[in-house]
Amino acid sequence: MPKINQKNEIQDVYKMLCSFLDKYQWHYEKEEENGIVRYGVNGEDLPMTFIIEVDKEKELLRLVSPFPFIIEENKRVEGAIITSYANYKIANGCFQYNYSQGNILFTMTSCFQGSFISEPFLYYFIIYSLNVVEHYNDKFMMVSKGLLSVEDFVKNE
Amino acid sequence: MIDEKKLKQAKQAFKTLCSMLDEKKWHYEKDEDNLTISCGAKGKDLLIPIHIEFNVDRYFVVVITQMPFEIPEERRKAMAVAVSAANWMLPDGSFDYDFIEGIILYRMALCFADCILSKKAFEYLMLHFCYFADKYNDKFLMVAKSNMTYDEIDKFIKTSGEL
């Protein structure tokens, strides 16, 4: 468990996040003035991009992973069904799907107001989101391209 | 076999949440053995039954409500568009849609792995949870009972509550 020091100092969560990524030798870009880090991961099928924002004012950690493709126009309703069903299957985070444009984001927000967070917390945040995006990105793409039906997508979940 | 360290942390987080609920004068039922809490909130239109569960093994607490209505079969595809539109507007949490059974859940979660979560963090969780569940539950019901087209639904949900 983390120790609260004598002065009860507020954690610098952004610094902690960067130290964590450094420790595991992740390559990332910093936008320190905005509290943002960006990193990419080559998945089995598709490249993945992640952006984490540390909102110091609201004490929130926000992760966004924009998908590198849009759902084809003739599959927009299918896109709504599979993304909202995928949300039904996951424990944390949200596939946010823009029906009118076909774009998908995976997002996850965690509040640390008045709290002390730890390395295992960051590990969970980063690794969990990576696993979820990796699991679904190719399946969403296959439905978009007509290679996988909604029924088969649902059946295999 | 339960990991004692995880269980201890879950129990601590559970205690903090209960303490916050007591301070804010929530009425709730708790199961300290299974680390679950049941309560409810009265929204603008619909009641919001709330179930809170601490997943010891995975180090997180999840808050869930199920919309108190089932989606008729002929409106299930349309509802997927409505749920997606609502999710697109959310800063936190997720509307989860079981297309097969016609069930909508709203879910928010918080990880407590090796953390000291404050009452403030749980207050944020419950406040935002109730706000967004209440904001969209009646909209979903309206979509279920209507014959709005997909485009109309998308626009209706995305502009709901906007000035």
Side-chain angles (χ1 to χ4, degrees), chain B residues 19-31:
Chain B
S19 178
M20 185 283 290
L21 292 173
D22 289 334
E23 245 174 57
K24 299 295 175 186
K25 298 192 183 357
W26 280 72
H27 297 289
Y28 64 95
E29 287 170 19
K30 63 181 177 183
D31 180 344

Side-chain angles (χ1 to χ4, degrees), chain B residues 29 65 118 122 126 136 141 143 149 161:
Chain B
E29 287 170 19
T65 186
S118 68
F122 282 117
M126 294 304 289
Y136 290 103
L141 186 59
V143 169
T149 64

Side-chain angles (χ1 to χ4, degrees), chain B residues 82-128:
Chain B
V83 168
S84 295
N87 277 334
W88 187 253
M89 306 305 288
L90 290 179
D92 199 350
S94 173
F95 284 106
D96 303 340
Y97 181 47
D98 181 355
F99 166 74
I100 312 293
E101 302 294 328
I103 293 168
I104 304 173
L105 308 176
Y106 181 60
R107 161 180 54 84
M108 278 182 78
L110 203 53
C111 174
F112 53 81
D114 274 13
C115 296
I116 303 173
L117 291 179
S118 68
K119 282 188 268 189
K120 226 170 140 194
F122 282 117
E123 202 182 324
Y124 163 92
L125 184 69
M126 294 304 289
L127 208 69
H128 282 73

